[in-house]
Amino acid sequence: MRLRERLRYKAKSLLRGLNAWTGMDGDQKQQPSTSSFVDTRKPHSLGKTVLNVSHKFLVLLVRWFLRTIYGEHGQKMPPIRNLILMESASSLALKIRTRKLTSVEVMEAFIERCKEINPLLNCVVDQCYSTALKEAAMADKLIASGTLTEEQLATEKPFLGVPISTKDCIRVKDMLHTAGIWKRRNIRGEKDSRAMELMRKAGAIPFALTNVSECCMWWESVNTIHGRTRNPYDTNRVVGGSSGGEGTIQAAAASPFGLGSDIGGSIRMPAFFNGIFGHKPSRQIVSNDGQYPEAVSEEQEIFLGIGPMCRYATDLKPMLRIIADQNAKKLRLDEPVDLKQVRFFYQHNDGGGFLVSPVDMDIRDAMEKVMAHFRSTVKSEVRKVYFDKLRKSANIWFGNMKHKEKISFDAQLDNLEGTVNPYVEVLKWIVGQSNHTFIGIMTAITERKGIQYGTEQYHYMVQQRDELLQEMKTMLGENGVFIYPTHPTVAPYHNEPLVRALNFSYTAIINVLGFPSTAVPLGLGREGLPIGLQVVANVNQDRLCLAVACELERAFGGWVAPEVLA
């Protein structure tokens, strides 16, 4: 029976791949009557069709090669023995302030877990364990003093005594602040970023810093300072980027919650690959103060955002409320959400984006189960839609990321102290003498090509963004959510993103639109790797995303621990 099921799955996947090669996914051949938007695509040119077909064969060849090199599965995770590690951040905070647990024993549990998993996963790149334990003892002393009642603690310091981690591009006082850039390898934070300052004020205690991609501009977390981070579900697979180390430390139950940042999917892709929750807030809600690299234009400042990453959906809202600070009132987070009044829209894929992988059958099946749940159990309105412009997601993102300030990526790689010559760096990389990753060098080269600021093509992509924004805002209104894949495939093998480079477009398009989006895990797929989707809402309607995330966690289980000792 299992053999028959596998053969049926392979046949469906092959048919799916053949449809994608021609630029036409099966479910777009005939749009359902409930679809709000008409498929207006023109056939691909012969040249693009050839490139698409060639690309699919290259992807298959690289996948076969990497599977041969790595084998079926990586090393096994150390099992989770301490049940403290299985608690949500909110639950830990409650137990600490009600004296069922001490902050010190909680901190010790997570520090021990970090030491246990890091040799295998390489997600922690700096730590302040001794300082964190002292601060934990101070939190316990404050609680024991009775200076503040339990109710006051819950209001004024809702995460008192809870450990928190963050990625190595969000500044934390006295910890490394490299953003994976070689020239910043010895730089440390002089003070906390605004978001971490607010979390610290709420009682959270920073204790670990996590790995990122070089200059935070790639969706595999690897750099020449700290090396490569590995996936807790299969160490041969990627963890996403640039918040990849942050996704990993939480999936491995080595941190209860943390902060990530996102300009093209850097929260949501690691959340997806590691099977946790991650929320990109609405534009300009959370301060970007203390991030490096900084946004180099007003538009990039809008696209970039710091947000919560956690294993349990229940932690998303209180974290967002804290880091949003004075802007929290714009989000009306305490306003109840009746899911029966929420309108659900969904699209299986981007419609056949150029050089973008087709969506895995596991992810499509999961989306259908989610839609069936909202139709039958919640009794909500559910409609399948199609936005043709999503096929251009990568180009729209690349075009809108261009800016007039002339700060190039090769200057970012040199910490804005000069510029790196990427052609010389290629030669140095070949002989193992470059301080930069291959993808960092290639990004510097390719940045000089393609869409340029101020050109006709640039203005066209800005227009496409604005039109898509208006179409989706009209659809979503104040009570609509859009269910969309976070990524078209489960976590690929290390280095495999090089031939699947544009797959990040599923998350990137949401950044340039400024919408809030929550990555929601939906368990493990056939390969034993996390699957999930993203929930998108209109600007400042973040509470809808969070309410849907909580419902999906309740219905489908949410985070699945990689290993638990029976």
Side-chain angles (χ1 to χ4, degrees), residues 399 402 450-462:
K402 296 295 182 179
I451 301 170
Q452 298 300 312
Y453 180 81
T455 62
E456 183 179 343
Q457 194 176 15
Y458 164 81
H459 289 296
Y460 174 72
M461 288 305 165
V462 171

Side-chain angles (χ1 to χ4, degrees), residues 77-360:
M77 276 277 297
I80 300 168
R81 297 179 174 86
N82 191 333
L83 293 182
I84 287 176
L85 303 174
M86 298 295 288
E87 301 270 359
S88 69
S90 299
S91 174
L92 290 171
L94 174 63
K95 290 185 177 181
I96 289 170
R97 65 175 171 264
T98 56
R99 306 191 199 187
K100 293 181 175 65
L101 289 172
T102 67
S103 176
V104 169
E105 64 183 315
V106 170
M107 186 65 71
E108 286 176 340
F110 283 100
I111 289 172
E112 182 61 31
R113 182 63 174 168
C114 283
K115 291 178 179 179
E116 185 178 39
I117 59 100
N118 206 52
L120 176 63
L121 302 181
N122 190 37
C123 53
V124 178
V125 298
D126 197 14
Q127 47 83 11
C128 54
Y129 297 154
S130 297
T131 302
L133 283 168
K134 291 176 183 176
E135 292 181 15
M138 290 172 61
D140 289 333
K141 188 175 180 180
L142 173 62
I143 294 167
S145 72
T147 305
L148 297 174
T149 65
E150 289 179 13
E151 292 74 17
Q152 287 174 314
L153 288 172
T155 302
E156 298 175 25
K157 294 184 176 296
F159 286 113
L160 180 63
V162 180
I164 187 172
S165 52
T166 192
K167 62 191 291 193
D168 179 15
C169 75
I170 298 175
R171 193 175 59 223
V172 181
K173 190 177 187 301
D174 297 329
M175 297 186 77
L176 286 174
H177 190 216
T178 75
I181 299 170
W182 179 260
K183 268 206 170 181
R184 295 181 61 86
R185 65 192 181 280
N186 297 318
I187 292 178
R188 291 186 175 272
E190 295 180 358
K191 63 177 184 177
D192 288 336
S193 62
R194 179 58 178 160
M196 184 55 78
E197 178 188 351
L198 291 165
M199 289 302 298
R200 199 191 287 267
K201 184 179 177 182
I205 302 174
F207 81 114
L209 196 75
T210 53
N211 204 20
V212 297
S213 51
E214 185 177 22
C215 205
C216 298
M217 284 299 287
W218 183 237
W219 55 277
E220 178 168 11
S221 289
V222 58
N223 57 70
T224 55
I225 306 172
H226 304 300
R228 187 186 309 279
T229 301
R230 291 173 282 278
N231 194 300
Y233 296 89
D234 183 346
T235 55
N236 295 331
R237 306 294 185 120
V238 308
V239 299
S242 60
S243 310
E246 193 55 40
T248 302
I249 193 175
Q250 290 174 46
S255 174
F257 64 168
L259 296 174
S261 59
D262 192 318
I263 198 170
S266 290
I267 287 174
R268 288 159 292 151
M269 281 189 290
F272 170 77
F273 290 141
N274 291 282
I276 65 167
F277 293 87
H279 181 71
K280 183 202 83 67
S282 291
R283 62 192 183 199
Q284 296 182 299
I285 287 294
V286 178
S287 170
N288 286 318
D289 171 69
Q291 279 208 74
Y292 192 90
E294 298 176 359
V296 297
S297 68
E298 288 184 14
E299 287 227 301
Q300 282 194 12
E301 180 73 20
I302 292 172
F303 305 156
L304 178 63
I306 290 177
M309 299 178 70
C310 45
R311 291 174 294 158
Y312 298 100
T314 187
D315 291 330
L316 291 170
K317 186 188 292 186
M319 282 188 75
L320 181 58
R321 180 185 289 109
I322 292 165
I323 61 177
D325 199 19
Q326 296 301 312
N327 286 328
K329 59 181 177 291
K330 296 179 182 178
L331 305 182
R332 298 175 291 160
L333 293 174
D334 292 323
E335 187 174 303
V337 175
D338 181 358
L339 290 177
K340 292 182 180 179
Q341 302 303 315
V342 174
R343 296 177 302 136
F344 289 85
F345 305 92
Y346 73 105
Q347 185 167 325
H348 279 141
N349 50 54
D350 65 357
F354 184 55
L355 303 184
V356 176
S357 298
V359 175
D360 283 355

Side-chain angles (χ1 to χ4, degrees), residues 424-496:
V424 171
E425 291 299 324
V426 168
L427 299 177
K428 291 169 67 176
W429 182 84
I430 291 172
V431 294
Q433 297 300 308
S434 178
N435 292 325
H436 304 286
T437 60
F438 177 74
I439 192 62
I441 298 167
M442 293 309 297
T443 299
I445 291 174
T446 56
E447 184 193 46
R448 304 178 181 189
K449 312 295 182 183
I451 301 170
Q452 298 300 312
Y453 180 81
T455 62
E456 183 179 343
Q457 194 176 15
Y458 164 81
H459 289 296
Y460 174 72
M461 288 305 165
V462 171
Q463 178 188 354
Q464 291 292 288
R465 176 202 67 187
D466 291 344
E467 290 178 1
L468 178 59
L469 175 61
Q470 191 54 53
E471 289 174 9
M472 294 192 72
K473 285 180 71 173
T474 299
M475 177 189 74
L476 291 169
E478 291 195 356
N479 69 333
V481 296
F482 178 56
I483 309 294
Y484 193 54
T486 317
H487 199 81
T489 74
V490 295
Y493 287 99
H494 296 302
N495 296 310
E496 194 177 354

Side-chain angles (χ1 to χ4, degrees), residues 378-434:
V378 182
K379 307 295 184 184
S380 301
E381 177 188 351
V382 176
R383 296 174 62 193
K384 187 175 184 180
V385 296
Y386 176 71
F387 289 96
D388 182 58
K389 290 183 178 66
L390 289 176
R391 286 190 303 122
K392 307 172 188 175
S393 292
N395 280 340
I396 292 174
W397 185 85
F398 282 121
N400 283 271
M401 283 288 287
K402 296 295 182 179
H403 51 86
K404 61 183 178 183
E405 282 73 11
K406 305 295 183 184
I407 299 177
S408 60
F409 190 73
D410 51 22
Q412 295 279 18
L413 290 179
D414 207 43
N415 197 34
L416 304 182
E417 296 171 10
T419 57
V420 168
N421 185 325
Y423 300 103
V424 171
E425 291 299 324
V426 168
L427 299 177
K428 291 169 67 176
W429 182 84
I430 291 172
V431 294
Q433 297 300 308
S434 178

